Amino acid sequence: FADPRKGVACAAGLYLSGFFGFPMCCFHFVIDSHVPGGIQAGVERMFTSMLSLFLFHSGAQVRLGIMGPSNACASLAQVFIDIEMAEMMDAFLQGIEVTAETIAEDLIKSVGSGGTFLDQDHSAEHFRSEMWLPRVFKRSNPQGKVGVDLDKSLELAKERLRAALLEPVARPLSEDQEKEIDRILASATKAIVG
């Protein structure tokens, strides 16, 4: 599933479909790793997702939490890692907003060469929208522990999973609607099974 040659074949199919004028739908790029949060899972998910963006010029179809081999595994913790990765790609795809407000030409002139923007209201108003702040991945210094695996992404993803599982679940259907669905299913089952 994560074979780079699959991406080459997909690109060839995409260009052939354009040449012959028939549609080709985007297909899912998935991963072969069966270990959530591992190096292989991260590399394969990012590679195949970015390849999907490159080939199809549209949103990547990340199969949240679905893992290999052959889609035989799934991980709820990996779902949160995949969400973080998708948010990272989305932040990249947003690009840079260029307006009179974001350029702040007058402010640049007033601060001048050698000045600082850190104490300016404009910086305080805009810097958070220009930064992507991860919730699972961490940006921290190793604090002298070179060579020690300090990656806590999987543990943080599991914490987010536990918090999500503890949240109350909204009931999108009324009790009467749920009973009606149960009645329809029972009727269909009886008709099929006999």
Side-chain angles (χ1 to χ4, degrees):
F1 283 107
D3 187 334
R5 299 302 294 172
K6 176 185 174 188
V8 173
C10 177
L14 179 67
Y15 290 112
L16 283 172
S17 70
F19 179 80
F20 289 109
F22 60 85
M24 178 180 173
C25 65
C26 177
F27 59 88
H28 300 288
F29 284 93
V30 293
I31 61 178
D32 294 317
S33 174
H34 60 277
V35 178
I39 292 171
Q40 179 182 346
V43 169
E44 289 177 347
R45 184 73 82 205
M46 186 58 80
F47 171 75
T48 58
S49 298
M50 293 298 285
L51 187 59
S52 178
L53 288 175
F54 169 73
L55 291 175
F56 294 100
H57 309 289
S58 64
Q61 295 187 8
V62 179
R63 301 189 71 193
L64 300 176
I66 303 299
M67 305 180 72
S70 303
N71 293 334
C73 304
S75 165
L76 291 175
Q78 185 68 39
V79 168
F80 289 95
I81 294 170
D82 292 343
I83 289 170
E84 186 106 327
M85 186 227 38
E87 289 173 351
M88 179 185 281
M89 289 192 311
D90 184 56
F92 171 77
L93 292 172
Q94 288 176 15
I96 298 172
E97 181 183 4
V98 180
T99 64
E101 171 66 18
T102 60
I103 293 293
E105 183 180 359
D106 293 338
L107 180 61
I108 292 171
K109 288 178 182 176
S110 70
V111 169
S113 179
T116 181
F117 294 93
L118 294 177
D119 61 352
Q120 301 296 313
D121 289 341
H122 185 273
S123 296
E125 293 165 6
H126 290 276
F127 86 97
R128 281 194 172 85
S129 64
E130 296 303 320
M131 293 178 64
W132 176 74
L133 301 173
R135 294 176 286 173
V136 172
F137 306 146
K138 290 296 171 195
R139 298 175 180 157
S140 58
N141 292 325
Q143 301 173 352
K145 297 180 181 178
V146 177
V148 176
D149 183 9
L150 298 176
D151 186 4
K152 303 294 182 202
S153 298
L154 183 57
E155 286 81 13
L156 291 170
K158 287 179 181 178
E159 286 176 21
R160 289 197 62 210
L161 168 62
R162 282 189 284 279
L165 291 174
L166 292 174
E167 288 180 16
V169 177
R171 293 181 68 126
L173 301 175
S174 70
E175 195 171 315
D176 289 340
Q177 290 170 319
E178 288 179 1
K179 286 179 183 175
E180 179 63 11
I181 289 172
D182 290 340
R183 185 194 65 74
I184 293 169
L185 286 173
S187 175
T189 301
K190 186 177 180 181
I192 293 170
V193 177

